[in-house]
C-alpha cells in the first residue's frame, strides 16, 4: 500500500469510529465531539482526493449506525464469446452496473442496470465473484465498496443513448486491451476474471487459470 492509500485508509477508519460514536454515544457532548471528528475526516478526505467537501460528505458521511460497505453490481454479459461494455459520458468504457437498489436482489439489480445503461434485456445466470473493490482496483476510494460480478445472457433489445452512456459494444478480451477504462468502475483484470468464469461454465476449464471460487446459483 502506498502512502496516499494508507492515509485514505486511516481517514476511512477515523470516519467509521466517528459514525459509530454518533450512533452509540452517550451524552450530547460526546456526540458533538464525534461530529467534529467526522467533519475533520471529511475535510481530510476532500483534501487528499481533490473532491469537493460536500461531495465527500454525501458519499462518505451520509449514513447512521455501524459503518458497512456499499454494495454494487457489475454484469458480465456474453454474446458469441464477447463481453458487453458500455461507454460512459467520460468517453471511457466499463462493465454495466451500479449501486444496489433497496428491495432488489443482486440478480435483479444486475439485470436492471444492464437494461438502463445499454437497452439490452438479459437473464442473470450465476455469480462470478464478490470482491472488495479497494483490493482489486488501482487506487483506494473514499468509501468501502463490495462488488458482485454476475454472468448474464442477452435476450433482446438495442442501444439507446441515455443520461449515463453514449455507446455499447461487445468485445473480445484481446479487443478490450486497446480500450481506456473508467477505472473507478472496471479494470482490465476484472474482464479477464469474467472471461475465465465464462470459459469454465461453458465446459472449457483448461482455458482458465482459476484462482478464486466461483459461486453458482
Amino acid at each position: 500500500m502506498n502512502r496516499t492509500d494508507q492515509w485514505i485508509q486511516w481517514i476511512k477508519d477515523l470516519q467509521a469510529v466517528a459514525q459509530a460514536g454518533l450512533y452509540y454515544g452517550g451524552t450530547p457532548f460526546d456526540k458533538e465531539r464525534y461530529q467534529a471528528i467526522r467533519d475533520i475526516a471529511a475535510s481530510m478526505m476532500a483534501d487528499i482526493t481533490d473532491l469537493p467537501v460536500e461531495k465527500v460528505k454525501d458519499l462518505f458521511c451520509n449514513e447512521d449506525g455501524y459503518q458497512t460497505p456499499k454494495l454494487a453490481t457489475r454484469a458480465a454479459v456474453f454474446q458469441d464469446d464477447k463481453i458487453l461494455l458500455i461507454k460512459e459520458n467520460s468517453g471511457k468504457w466499463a462493465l454495466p452496473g451500479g449501486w444496489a437498489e433497496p428491495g432488489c436482489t443482486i440478480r435483479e439489480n444486475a439485470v436492471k442496470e444492464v437494461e438502463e445503461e445499454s437497452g439490452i434485456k438479459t437473464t442473470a445466470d450465476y455469480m462470478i465473484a464478490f470482491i472488495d473493490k479497494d483490493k482489486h482496483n488501482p487506487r483506494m476510494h473514499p468509501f468501502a465498496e463490495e462488488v458482485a460480478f454476475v454472468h448474464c445472457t442477452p435476450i433482446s433489445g438495442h442501444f439507446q443513448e441515455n443520461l449515463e452512456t453514449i455507446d455499447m459494444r461487445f468485445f473480445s478480451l484481446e479487443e478490450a486491451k486497446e480500450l481506456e477504462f473508467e477505472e473507478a468502475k472496471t479494470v482490465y483484470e476484472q474482464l479477464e476474471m469474467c472471461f475465465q468464469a465464462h470459459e469454465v461454465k461453458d465446459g472449457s476449464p483448461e482455458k482458465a487459470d482459476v484462482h478464486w471460487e466461483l459461486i453458482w446459483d
Side-chain angles (χ1 to χ4, degrees), residues 150-175:
V150 181
H151 186 288
C152 297
T153 301
I155 302 170
S156 63
H158 62 275
F159 179 73
Q160 292 183 339
E161 192 168 330
N162 55 77
L163 291 175
E164 297 182 78
T165 57
I166 57 176
D167 195 7
M168 59 136 278
R169 277 184 250 164
F170 287 88
F171 294 90
S172 69
L173 188 57
E174 190 66 28
E175 290 167 339

Side-chain angles (χ1 to χ4, degrees), residues 20-216:
L22 282 168
Y23 189 74
Y24 297 109
T27 71
F29 298 103
D30 290 334
K31 296 195 174 193
E32 185 177 48
R33 293 185 185 99
Y34 282 122
Q35 184 60 56
I37 293 170
R38 198 179 206 192
D39 290 341
I40 291 168
S43 296
M44 292 170 69
M45 185 65 79
D47 182 71
I48 205 165
T49 60
D50 292 325
L51 290 170
V53 69
E54 291 309 315
K55 184 173 180 63
V56 169
K57 286 183 176 181
D58 183 52
L59 293 170
F60 183 55
C61 305
N62 67 341
E63 297 177 353
D64 296 323
Y66 192 78
Q67 181 79 59
T68 58
K70 294 179 179 291
L71 175 63
T73 60
R74 290 285 155 193
V77 183
F78 281 92
Q79 180 174 275
D80 299 326
D81 293 326
K82 292 188 174 186
I83 198 167
L84 174 69
L85 296 176
I86 51 99
K87 194 172 190 179
E88 303 269 341
N89 289 323
S90 64
K92 298 180 181 179
W93 295 86
L95 289 166
W99 297 122
E101 296 280 350
C104 276
T105 65
I106 287 175
R107 177 193 295 270
E108 291 166 343
N109 205 78
V111 168
K112 177 183 71 68
E113 289 290 333
V114 174
E115 185 170 2
E116 287 178 355
E117 295 184 351
S118 74
I120 303 297
K121 294 182 183 294
T122 62
T123 59
D125 309 318
Y126 56 87
M127 187 183 293
I128 295 170
F130 196 72
I131 68 167
D132 182 309
K133 189 172 178 179
D134 280 340
K135 291 180 171 62
H136 294 272
N137 283 58
R139 58 185 176 83
M140 295 283 285
H141 292 77
F143 47 85
E145 182 181 342
E146 305 286 341
V147 186
F149 289 81
V150 181
H151 186 288
C152 297
T153 301
I155 302 170
S156 63
H158 62 275
F159 179 73
Q160 292 183 339
E161 192 168 330
N162 55 77
L163 291 175
E164 297 182 78
T165 57
I166 57 176
D167 195 7
M168 59 136 278
R169 277 184 250 164
F170 287 88
F171 294 90
S172 69
L173 188 57
E174 190 66 28
E175 290 167 339
K177 279 185 178 178
E178 307 303 319
L179 302 178
E180 185 178 7
F181 291 103
E182 189 70 65
E183 289 191 339
K185 298 180 177 181
T186 300
V187 295
Y188 182 76
E189 289 74 16
Q190 291 163 359
L191 297 188
E192 290 182 311
M193 175 185 72
C194 293
F195 270 91
Q196 288 178 355
H198 178 67
E199 290 169 350
V200 170
K201 186 65 173 178
D202 281 357
S204 306
E206 70 279 359
K207 295 181 181 178
D209 177 19
V210 182
H211 55 274
W212 76 96
E213 181 182 356
L214 301 180
I215 305 172
W216 316 122

